[in-house]
Amino acid sequence: MTARLLDGKRLAEQIREEIRQQVERFYQTTGQRPGLAAVLVGDNPASQIYVRNKRRACEQVGMVSWLHHLPGETTEAQLLALVRQLNDDPVVHGILVQLPLPRHIREEKILEAVAPNKDIDGFGPENLGRLAAGRPRFVPCTPLGVQVLLRRHDIAIAGRHVVILGRSTIVGKPLALLLLHKGPDADATVTVCHSRTQNLAAMTRQADILVAAMGQPRFVRADMIKPGAVIVDVGINRLPDGTLVGDVDHAAVAGIASAITPVPGGVGPMTVAMLLHNTLRAAQLQAGLLSAPE
Ligand code: NDP
């Protein structure tokens, strides 16, 4: 069997075009452009690239974006003050605080301070709580990207066993909550594994859909999957020679799986597309064009 390639790059381009048209309609209706404020603290090169790509993606669909690039020695109080100022600014619809923050700043304090209706990453306690309650407002972008990728490739989720490798608050845990919901593109039976899970391969071999989000290069080998499984590789790892690889041994696993995402070009572009989706949604909610979730 040769797995079907789940091309996230091409799908993300389609979704971005759909969003561009919706942004245009939003502008015709309100005279405003959805606006994203990105906050970057310090000089982490990967973070700088991520923020640059996200801002460029916003501008390509007709949104406005602002970069607040603060020095690495910025205090927690100064960052909180900036977040509050952005919370109060009516042209800012979405606020993105690029993680990781420098160690002297408590990430949770900053994420808690972002106004819930501008929390387009969905990392604040209110939005995570809503997701857990099955009434999401903003779903974190990578989990949402995984769900949309599966839906738009007509891969059924309901009733299937999804095994997720990784329990982080930005990927594994919210994805588990999302796929566990009652309703369309969900209703999965979900198992979440982590570094303390025993006999991991026995878990992964049960997966109809296996999602790897661990940050361990080529960890998932061919003998760890069930023939015909769908494989979603969230991992992005740079090898010493500069090559980017996922958490899955792609070449070997593609011979056994029924479908698999590439790295790069799989989940990564979907994450950026979902950031645009959430920013547009934030603008629509704030303009009263969508009814706010109860
Ligand atoms: P974290 O480091 O926050 O979490 C990694 C998770 O994997 C943890 O739950 C950890 O367990 C688990 N884990 C690590 N090693 C093992 C192991 N050997 N066996 C079992 N479980 C293990 O990472 P993130 O969730 O932030 O990111 C995961 C990967 O996804 C990274 O490669 C990251 O670059 C990538 N990523 C990709 C995105 C995209 O858009 N494509 C977006 C976000 C992340 P424990 O909790 O016990 O430590």
Side-chain angles (χ1 to χ4, degrees):
M1 184 185 300
T2 302
R4 168 183 172 211
L5 205 62
L6 304 174
D7 186 344
K9 184 162 182 265
R10 203 173 61 190
L11 176 57
E13 276 164 17
Q14 261 174 39
I15 293 174
R16 281 155 68 151
E17 173 54 25
E18 291 161 17
I19 292 174
R20 194 189 62 73
Q21 293 173 18
Q22 292 175 56
V23 166
E24 225 28 63
R25 281 201 290 279
F26 180 82
Y27 180 65
Q28 300 300 333
T29 312
T30 64
Q32 266 195 312
R33 299 213 163 260
L36 173 86
V39 179
L40 178 62
V41 186
D43 294 313
N44 178 329
S47 293
Q48 292 190 32
I49 293 172
Y50 287 140
V51 167
R52 194 172 65 219
N53 289 344
K54 290 170 186 174
R55 291 191 62 217
R56 190 181 296 153
C58 276
E59 280 147 24
Q60 282 169 350
V61 296
M63 296 182 182
V64 196
S65 85
W66 303 271
L67 173 63
H68 297 268
H69 192 174
L70 307 179
E73 55 278 11
T74 301
T75 64
E76 188 176 290
Q78 286 168 325
L79 185 55
L80 280 173
L82 172 62
V83 167
R84 292 194 185 112
Q85 178 199 318
L86 297 172
N87 284 345
D88 292 338
D89 187 340
V91 299
V92 172
H93 299 104
I95 301 171
L96 176 157
V97 181
Q98 183 64 42
L99 302 179
L101 291 170
R103 286 223 182 109
H104 64 275
I105 298 179
R106 288 169 296 176
E107 229 157 69
E108 71 277 10
K109 288 285 161 208
I110 305 302
L111 297 178
E112 265 173 43
V114 174
N117 66 345
K118 297 190 176 185
D119 173 24
I120 40 123
D121 265 331
F123 293 159
E126 181 172 325
N127 283 304
L128 286 172
R130 282 179 165 276
L131 179 64
R135 296 184 294 127
R137 181 198 284 120
F138 299 118
V139 176
C141 300
T142 302
L144 185 58
V146 170
Q147 188 190 41
V148 171
L149 182 89
L150 294 172
R151 177 200 310 147
R152 302 269 291 239
H153 284 91
D154 294 320
I155 291 173
I157 299 173
R160 302 184 85 187
H161 188 184
V162 178
V163 176
I164 301 172
L165 302 180
R167 58 173 162 183
S168 74
T169 311
I170 62 170
V171 188
K173 209 185 290 177
L175 180 63
L177 293 170
L178 186 62
L179 300 185
L180 203 54
H181 281 166
K182 258 182 193 292
D185 307 318
D187 279 329
T189 301
V190 180
T191 300
V192 183
C193 302
H194 47 79
S195 66
R196 307 296 296 271
T197 299
Q198 294 184 5
N199 202 354
L200 200 71
M203 301 287 177
T204 56
R205 275 188 218 111
Q206 292 175 36
D208 300 313
I209 299 175
L210 179 66
V211 182
M214 314 155 80
Q216 302 288 336
R218 296 182 178 141
F219 183 94
V220 177
R221 300 177 316 266
D223 62 355
M224 293 171 69
I225 71 157
K226 176 164 83 177
V230 172
I231 311 293
V232 178
D233 192 352
V234 178
I236 303 178
N237 310 288
R238 196 170 286 282
L239 299 181
D241 70 0
T243 323
L244 272 191
V245 297
D247 288 352
V248 176
D249 181 352
H250 187 99
V253 168
I256 299 169
S258 61
I260 187 167
T261 59
V263 176
V267 176
M270 292 301 294
T271 298
V272 177
M274 293 306 112
L275 182 77
L276 303 178
H277 167 88
N278 280 352
T279 305
L280 172 63
R281 197 172 146 73
Q284 289 168 329
L285 281 167
Q286 285 158 53
L289 297 175
L290 285 182
S291 52
E294 292 304 312

